[in-house]
Amino acid sequence: MTYEYERLGGGLVVPCVRLDLSRSNGPRSAQDFKHRIFEIVDREGALLFRSAGIDGPVRYAEFLATIDFRHHSYVGGTAPRTDLGRGVYTATDLPADTTVMIHQEMAYLDAIPDYISFYCHEPPPEGQKTHLIGDMRRLSAELPDRLRTKYRGKHARLRRTLPPEGSESVIARRDKSWQEVLGTGDRQEAAAIAAREGWDLTWTAGDYLVFVQEPARFFRPHPVYGELWCTQALHYQAAARRLVAERDGRTADARRLAAAMAAAPDTVDAMVMEDGSRIPPEDIAAWFELCLAAEVAYALGRGEVIILDNMLMAHGRSTFTGPRTVYTALGDRAGQPPPRCSTRTSSSRTAHVLPG
Ligand SMILES: [Fe+2]
């Protein structure tokens, strides 16, 4: 399998291969090169499949099966997503007016997927560059010594207050219910999952759930590059969401966040240090500026796919106009122990439209 390098901008270069992935039984060439595909992703951080010709999520699932993509469950995940089955999800159901800042997938947990893949089913009109990417090797190197020293060896826990299914906030603001996040509506089953994962669950009045997830590392080892910054602790903060709302011009959201932070900061979802202390706003603002400077926007064409190493390359999505449909799948490296969540299929809104 031969590949070239494509310059996405901002000095970020990714390997790019042109393979016809459109045939129904999966391309033999992709199967032949499956080990090579992941070897390239592990070393380069990404592999872009241009002109791949994938014509729908079924074919995307078949392509992933062809290369033995080991699916990682989204149980415990925070993003609103629709689960199509066979490990394929909508990339995000967040509205088009909201930027998703570059981040490493699920890095608010200690068990994260090694890979994340995106398939563009319907690109937005006029060639809008809506996919964001950032090189975490560069970001880790640019991290101020003050932050590196302060957070090395530390852990943070994601604390959320989740509404029950059918509540106003789930319907109106597309919040995730606790049933959706845990993949069950049964409190006993939820408690068993939580015990296995190291999560704390406390139900409060009105069937709301205070959900504290396991301590997650700030730095983690990558098999090729060694220790890298890998956390959403400075992202998953009301102050960070407010900065994003201001960036997007969503003034009502920015005001709502400011009011919630002033009135009852403990009820606003956030990552909190393991000892219970809060991450200071100046650290959140510094990280936001670093991410802004590192992000590079690019476009995936119709039928094209990218596979990212989830530690080496952060991903995000810009705001956009018009229709846009992108699907995603999360994966684990071969030879790794199966993820702790692997027995369950999903925590997302379930459509299960894919056969098999
Ligand atoms: Fe993501």
Side-chain angles (χ1 to χ4, degrees):
M1 184 179 72
T2 57
Y3 59 91
E4 300 168 342
Y5 286 95
E6 181 171 322
R7 295 179 190 284
L8 297 184
L12 203 151
V13 176
V14 298
C16 170
V17 65
R18 289 176 194 275
L19 282 179
D20 179 8
L21 305 174
S22 63
R23 284 166 291 165
S24 62
N25 61 348
R28 192 159 296 283
S29 51
Q31 190 169 35
D32 292 345
F33 292 123
K34 62 189 176 192
H35 298 298
R36 183 103 171 96
I37 286 171
F38 290 107
E39 183 265 320
I40 292 167
V41 175
D42 287 346
R43 194 184 65 244
E44 306 269 6
L47 183 58
L48 181 54
F49 296 81
R50 290 289 193 202
S51 310
I54 290 183
D55 61 0
V58 172
R59 195 79 78 235
Y60 178 46
E62 287 171 354
F63 162 63
L64 294 172
T66 301
I67 62 170
D68 292 340
F69 193 84
R70 300 173 74 241
H71 290 280
H72 183 106
S73 162
Y74 199 53
V75 163
T78 63
R81 282 188 168 141
T82 304
D83 179 1
L84 277 73
R86 297 180 64 181
V88 175
Y89 303 84
T90 52
T92 177
D93 295 343
L94 280 173
D97 67 351
T98 301
T99 298
V100 179
M101 295 290 289
I102 55 169
H103 62 279
Q104 292 147 311
E105 188 68 18
M106 298 182 83
Y108 40 79
L109 301 180
D110 209 51
I112 64 167
D114 296 312
Y115 305 112
I116 182 164
S117 164
F118 295 99
Y119 150 59
C120 177
H121 183 61
E122 182 177 19
E126 295 159 7
Q128 293 173 75
K129 293 182 174 179
T130 57
H131 293 266
L132 303 178
I133 188 170
D135 189 332
M136 290 304 299
R137 289 161 289 189
R138 191 180 126 193
L139 255 171
S140 285
E142 289 174 352
L143 201 64
D145 286 340
R146 179 181 71 78
L147 296 183
R148 188 189 315 280
T149 307
K150 181 174 177 179
Y151 292 112
R152 177 170 270 146
K154 297 285 179 25
H155 297 72
R157 304 186 74 178
L158 177 57
R159 184 165 73 196
R160 292 190 274 170
T161 303
L162 301 174
E165 212 159 49
S167 71
E168 184 62 28
S169 64
V170 172
I171 295 164
R173 292 188 7 229
R174 192 51 188 90
D175 287 349
K176 294 179 83 167
S177 68
W178 64 259
Q179 290 91 343
E180 188 178 358
V181 170
L182 290 162
T184 178
D186 182 285
R187 285 193 184 191
Q188 274 194 332
E189 192 182 349
I193 295 167
R196 193 179 68 225
E197 303 293 338
W199 301 339
D200 297 334
L201 309 183
T202 309
W203 275 276
T204 62
D207 197 28
Y208 277 72
L209 175 66
V210 177
F211 181 36
V212 184
Q213 293 181 257
E214 81 271 21
R217 290 164 284 180
F218 279 75
F219 289 88
R220 312 180 197 222
H222 184 272
V224 176
Y225 288 93
E227 185 183 73
L228 289 173
W229 176 264
C230 185
T231 179
Q232 286 193 33
L234 276 64
H235 267 310
Y236 217 109
Q237 301 289 341
R241 291 199 290 284
R242 187 178 168 190
L243 289 168
V244 179
E246 286 168 355
R247 172 189 185 180
D248 293 343
R250 290 181 284 111
T251 49
D253 286 348
R255 270 201 305 272
R256 184 174 55 79
L257 279 162
M261 286 161 62
D266 285 348
T267 66
V268 180
D269 295 355
M271 290 194 76
V272 178
M273 297 302 290
E274 200 173 14
D275 64 5
S277 62
R278 290 284 179 161
I279 291 173
E282 60 270 24
D283 293 359
I284 296 165
W287 177 246
F288 181 83
E289 291 300 324
L290 279 171
C291 289
L292 266 185
E295 74 174 30
V296 171
Y298 68 102
L300 282 183
R302 186 181 301 276
E304 294 182 340
V305 169
I306 192 165
I307 301 176
L308 303 176
D309 181 299
N310 188 37
M311 281 188 66
L312 299 183
M313 292 292 183
H315 63 277
R317 190 208 67 188
S318 72
T319 58
F320 62 97
T321 56
R324 175 189 189 268
T325 309
V326 174
Y327 295 102
T328 190
L330 315 177
D332 286 311
R333 191 169 281 114
Q336 298 289 312
R340 289 177 300 167
C341 297
S342 63
T343 54
R344 304 191 59 80
T345 54
S346 167
S347 68
S348 290
R349 194 149 293 194
T350 303
H352 285 302
V353 296
L354 300 189

